[in-house]
Amino acid sequence: MEIVRAGIEALSNGSVVLPAPAEVRQSANDVRRFLSDNWEERITQIIESKTEPLRTELEEIKTWQAGAIEQAKAELRVELGELAA
């Protein structure tokens, strides 16, 4: 326990900087690549999550619009039929 306390004290006052274990060390390029890949992936996730509701609403509008167009066509056919008669 005393060793841990001494280590914490040394780290706190900046007198000792312990190197990372060899198996944990990564090259700067590996770290940059990892962070870059994660940011691109995260940005893609955010964009998709924000645009998905808009896409759904757009599809609903397109469906409603197609129905309204078909109804208008049907009404015009009826009116044209009445005028032709």
Side-chain angles (χ1 to χ4, degrees), residues 69-84:
I69 289 170
E70 289 304 315
Q71 182 178 354
K73 285 180 183 179
E75 290 172 3
L76 283 173
R77 285 187 198 107
V78 168
E79 287 184 29
L80 289 174
E82 290 174 359
L83 288 174

Side-chain angles (χ1 to χ4, degrees), residues 54-68:
L54 296 173
R55 289 181 187 163
T56 302
E57 189 172 345
L58 182 59
E59 286 304 314
E60 290 172 1
I61 290 170
K62 286 180 180 179
T63 301
W64 174 84
Q65 193 175 34

Side-chain angles (χ1 to χ4, degrees), residues 34-47:
F34 176 77
L35 291 174
S36 173
D37 291 347
N38 283 348
W39 277 111
E40 289 175 15
E41 185 177 313
R42 183 66 184 130
I43 289 169
T44 300
Q45 290 173 348
I46 291 170
I47 290 170

